């Protein structure tokens, strides 16, 4: 798609993948941080990681397995909290531990069997060996995430404001909430191979956290967060590939630096006195 | 609508929170006509908020029948909630909450606008009208998190008024308000009742109730122990005496 600007195929694919993944994660990061479900995002990322490891062990498509695992966890959280009478926080802690255990078990077992599997790609991402189809898939999930937010903007904003108020004004909160989790799970699973299970969380939280330092309105956050994420991710990809540095970890560091700068420069935290 | 054709009708209703061992509300029967002003009193934990949430279908009814605005609450609570305003108690928003007052009040219209549709001209007009009714139109573009507790309370009240509700359920609406704001809200409630809106209010402040006939409902341990009409000045007396001993009237 961007071959007319970047001639090198590897670099082009990497930049495209980082662009689509960052925009998809960033628009969803606004939902994740504002509905305060960042623990869910974190757990989903690790569920997708476990799913991918299991898929590799069973010689199944790791992407499909990570989607199934991420979505399953998303739909397990609510019922598990209700039926086991646990707080969502405890349920998430439990699921996170189980997911990590499953992933590590299969990775270790495959190494014992001499299958030579390296978990590094799944843990920290890999943008070098991407197929064109994978980039198209990321473009598709990016479009799905944006359409989801545009179409259900009213309902999403009301839920972000307050779930109980949203319910009291006649919004069907549960279906919209579960649709949110489904889109997040799908995005997490598809972004996992390029960003990595351990770093994905940065993409799901940092863009919105940065945007919140400058935006008074949610609508502005939905524009600023993906814009900032795209700029940081493309910069990370270009600098990383140019200097042979790991792209996803470098980009995660860039996100952290920009976040700290945003907090320091935020006009929303500044107290000003005007003498009248 | 006459009292024989009530806007709220509860018949032997039992309500339980999910996972609870026993019902929170027990055998509630209540019939409220259009344009009635109802004060719900009783000690903490008596089930006052639960009663409001049962009426607008936010809690599952395990037994009995609840008809609100002609709709069966057990069938489709969402349809009921589109016609019933509900002011929840104890809200305080973070200073960084990324919503302006106008955006928050517009949310009151979202249920009636429906899925996949955008707010139209009439929705924005209803928002302006609600803001004017509460005298907060000058706050429209301010972030809600930067307002005082009383102003935030008024914004949530405007959110409910923007829906043109047939029934207004208010849970401790005076909790964050100063005496002037209380007076304003009381005048507003009296005007709404005169225009045919049914108002149910959970409150511990009985000194500023609007003039006219008031129905007092007193609850204890999840059941109604008193339900009778009286003048606003008698409300506190009725609630107090019900607290000393149960007296059905």
């Amino acid at each position: 798609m961007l071959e007319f600007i970047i001639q090198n195929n590897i670099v082009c694919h990497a930049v495209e993948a980082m662009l689509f993944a960052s925009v998809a994660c960033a628009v969803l990061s606004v939902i994740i941080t504002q509905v305060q479900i960042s623990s869910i995002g974190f757990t989903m990322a690790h569920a997708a990681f476990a799913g991918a490891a299991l898929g590799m062990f069973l010689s199944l498509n790791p992407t499909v397995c990570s989607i199934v695992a991420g979505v399953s966890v998303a739909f397990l959280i609510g019922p598990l909290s209700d039926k086991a009478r646990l707080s969502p926080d405890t349920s998430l802690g439990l699921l996170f531990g189980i997911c990590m255990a499953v992933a590590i078990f299969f990775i270790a077992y495959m190494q014992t069997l001499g299958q030579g599997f390296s978990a590094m790609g799944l843990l920290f991402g890999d943008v070098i060996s991407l197929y064109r189809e994978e980039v198209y898939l990321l473009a598709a999930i990016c479009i799905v995430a944006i359409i989801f937010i545009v179409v259900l903007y009213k309902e999403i904003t009301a839920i972000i404001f307050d779930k109980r108020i949203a319910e009291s004004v006649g919004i069907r909160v549960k279906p919209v909430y579960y649709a949110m989790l489904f889109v997040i799970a799908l995005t997490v699973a598809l972004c996992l191979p390029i960003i990595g299970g351990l770093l994905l969380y940065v993409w799901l939280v940092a863009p919105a956290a940065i945007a919140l330092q400058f935006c008074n309105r949610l609508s502005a956050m939905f524009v600023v967060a993906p814009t900032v994420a795209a700029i940081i991710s493309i910069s990370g990809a270009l600098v990383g590939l140019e200097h042979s540095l790991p792209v996803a970890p470098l980009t995660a560091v860039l996100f952290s630096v920009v976040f700290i700068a945003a907090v320091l420069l935020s006009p929303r935290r500044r107290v000003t006195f005007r003498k009248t | 609508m006459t009292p024989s054709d009530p806007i709220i009708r509860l018949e032997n209703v039992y309500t339980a929170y999910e996972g609870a061992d026993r019902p929170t509300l027990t055998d509630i029967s209540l019939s409220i006509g259009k344009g009635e002003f109802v004060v719900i009193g009783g000690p903490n934990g008596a089930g006052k908020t639960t009663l409001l949430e049962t009426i607008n279908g936010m809690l599952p009814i395990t037994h009995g029948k609840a008809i609100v605005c002609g709709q069966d609450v057990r069938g489709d609570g969402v349809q009921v909630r589109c016609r019933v305003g509900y002011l929840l108690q104890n809200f305080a928003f973070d200073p960084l909450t990324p919503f302006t007052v106008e955006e928050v009040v517009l949310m009151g219209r979202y249920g009636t606008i429906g899925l996949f549709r955008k707010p139209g001209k009439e929705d924005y007009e209803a928002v302006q009208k609600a803001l004017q009714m509460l005298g907060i139109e000058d706050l429209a573009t301010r972030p809600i998190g930067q307002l005082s507790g009383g102003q935030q309370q008024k914004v949530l009240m405007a959110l409910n008024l923007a829906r043109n509700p047939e029934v207004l359920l208010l849970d401790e609406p005076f909790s964050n308000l100063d005496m002037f704001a209380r007076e304003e809200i009381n005048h507003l409630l009296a005007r709404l009742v005169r225009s045919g809106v049914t108002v149910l209010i959970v409150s511990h402040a009985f000194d500023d109730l609007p003039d006219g006939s008031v129905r007092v409902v007193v609850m204890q341990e999840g059941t109604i122990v008193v339900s009778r009409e009286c003048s606003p000045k008698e409300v506190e007396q009725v609630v107090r005496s019900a607290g000393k001993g149960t007296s059905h009237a």
Side-chain angles (χ1 to χ4, degrees):
Chain A
M1 282 167 263
L2 294 176
E3 289 88 353
F4 63 97
I5 305 173
I6 306 165
Q7 270 79 37
N8 184 315
N9 250 355
I10 293 173
V11 178
C12 185
H13 286 178
V15 168
E16 287 170 350
M18 289 298 274
L19 170 68
F20 296 131
S22 64
V23 170
C25 288
V27 289
L28 295 173
S29 76
V30 177
I31 295 177
I32 289 169
T33 55
Q34 294 303 305
V35 185
Q36 298 180 355
I37 51 171
S38 47
S39 311
I40 295 180
F42 187 62
T43 308
M44 275 185 200
H46 288 83
F49 175 46
L54 181 65
M56 284 178 170
F57 176 74
L58 298 172
S59 303
L60 299 170
N61 186 324
T63 306
V64 174
C65 291
S66 58
I67 291 172
V68 172
V71 172
S72 306
V73 161
F75 285 90
L76 263 178
I77 294 161
L80 185 68
S81 302
D82 293 342
K83 300 297 171 200
R85 295 199 194 176
L86 295 171
S87 70
D89 194 44
T90 310
S91 308
L92 286 167
L94 201 68
L95 286 169
F96 166 69
I98 293 168
C99 292
M100 275 305 276
V102 168
I104 291 166
F105 173 81
F106 281 109
I107 289 166
Y109 192 51
M110 279 188 284
Q111 283 173 341
T112 310
L113 293 176
Q115 291 185 1
F117 168 69
S118 166
M120 292 302 278
L122 279 181
L123 283 170
F124 303 111
D126 176 16
V127 292
I128 305 291
S129 51
L130 285 172
Y131 291 109
R132 175 149 295 281
E133 292 72 26
E134 288 176 291
V135 178
Y136 286 149
L137 213 52
L138 284 168
I141 192 61
C142 180
I143 292 166
V144 167
I146 292 169
I147 289 175
F148 172 72
I149 285 161
V150 170
V151 169
L152 291 174
Y153 187 75
K154 290 197 316 292
E155 290 74 17
I156 290 169
T157 52
I159 290 171
I160 284 174
F161 180 63
D162 187 89
K163 266 204 273 186
R164 278 172 53 77
I165 289 178
E167 194 182 358
S168 77
V169 300
I171 287 172
R172 292 179 198 276
V173 171
K174 268 193 178 171
V176 177
Y177 185 72
Y178 279 115
M180 271 181 197
L181 294 183
F182 179 73
V183 175
I184 293 168
L186 210 58
T187 307
V188 162
L190 293 177
C191 295
L192 183 78
I194 65 153
I195 296 173
L198 287 184
L199 296 173
L200 196 52
Y201 191 59
V202 178
W203 271 256
L204 292 173
V205 173
I210 294 166
L212 189 63
Q213 306 308 315
F214 300 99
C215 303
N216 275 331
R217 304 176 78 145
L218 194 77
S219 49
M221 284 182 74
F222 276 118
V223 176
V224 172
T227 307
V228 169
I231 292 168
I232 294 173
S233 297
I234 291 172
S235 309
L238 290 173
V239 173
L241 292 172
E242 177 70 26
H243 298 284
S244 302
L245 296 168
V247 170
L250 174 69
T251 312
V253 171
L254 285 178
F255 266 118
S256 315
V257 172
V258 174
F259 172 69
I260 292 166
V263 171
L264 293 174
L265 298 172
S266 170
R268 299 193 70 190
R269 293 179 192 277
R270 204 170 297 152
V271 179
T272 53
F273 293 95
R274 189 177 294 160
K275 200 173 176 183
T276 51
Chain B
M1 205 176 276
T2 62
S4 60
D5 187 13
I7 196 158
I8 297 171
R9 198 173 84 231
L10 308 181
E11 289 175 13
N12 311 108
V13 166
Y14 287 71
T15 307
Y17 286 96
E18 204 164 326
D21 298 328
R22 56 187 185 144
T24 314
L25 293 186
T26 311
D27 199 17
I28 298 286
S29 293
L30 188 65
S31 190
I32 297 169
K34 189 178 179 184
E36 270 200 73
F37 189 93
V38 182
V39 179
I40 303 168
N44 293 330
K48 304 184 292 291
T49 299
T50 310
L51 177 63
L52 296 188
E53 297 195 347
T54 302
I55 290 170
N56 84 340
M58 283 171 78
L59 287 177
I61 295 169
T62 53
H63 180 267
K65 194 174 179 184
I67 306 290
V68 178
C69 302
Q71 306 259 357
D72 188 347
V73 176
R74 289 181 87 170
D76 195 353
V78 171
Q79 290 301 321
V80 171
R81 288 196 286 280
C82 288
R83 298 165 70 177
V84 175
Y86 178 36
L87 179 73
L88 291 94
Q89 69 172 332
N90 294 335
F91 263 94
F93 298 99
D94 185 89
L96 293 185
T97 304
F99 291 97
T100 64
V101 167
E102 195 175 28
E103 287 170 333
V104 172
V105 177
L106 185 62
M107 283 176 201
R109 306 279 303 175
Y110 284 179
T112 45
I113 292 169
L115 211 58
F116 309 127
R117 292 171 64 191
K118 287 187 172 179
K121 194 182 163 200
E122 69 275 23
D123 299 305
Y124 289 102
E125 283 171 358
V127 168
Q128 286 309 314
K129 195 178 153 197
L131 290 172
Q132 281 165 9
M133 282 169 92
L134 285 145
I136 52 170
E137 60 270 41
D138 55 323
L139 302 178
T141 54
R142 294 267 304 274
I144 187 167
Q146 291 175 14
L147 304 180
S148 70
Q151 287 171 322
Q152 289 181 4
Q153 185 90 332
K154 282 185 172 183
V155 174
L156 294 182
M157 185 81 172
L159 175 150
N160 283 295
L161 293 181
R163 305 158 63 183
N164 300 320
E166 293 168 52
V167 175
L168 199 51
L169 310 173
L170 308 171
D171 200 350
E172 301 284 2
F174 305 124
S175 55
N176 289 320
L177 302 179
D178 60 36
M179 56 183 285
F180 302 108
R182 278 185 190 201
E183 209 169 299
E184 276 175 48
I185 298 288
N186 268 321
H187 285 306
L188 177 64
L189 292 180
R191 223 164 62 222
L192 289 170
V193 169
R194 279 199 297 276
S195 68
V197 177
T198 305
V199 177
L200 277 79
I201 179 168
V202 169
S203 180
H204 294 289
F206 305 117
D207 44 350
D208 290 323
L209 295 172
D211 292 336
S213 180
V214 173
R215 166 100 73 102
V216 191
V217 171
V218 184
M219 298 194 68
Q220 272 178 7
E221 294 176 2
T223 171
I224 294 174
V225 292
V226 172
S227 174
R228 57 169 281 203
E229 286 198 10
C230 66
S231 73
K233 286 178 182 170
E234 292 173 309
V235 171
E236 188 161 359
Q237 173 79 33
V238 173
V239 174
R240 278 183 188 281
S241 58
K244 288 171 187 164
T246 53
S247 61
H248 287 274

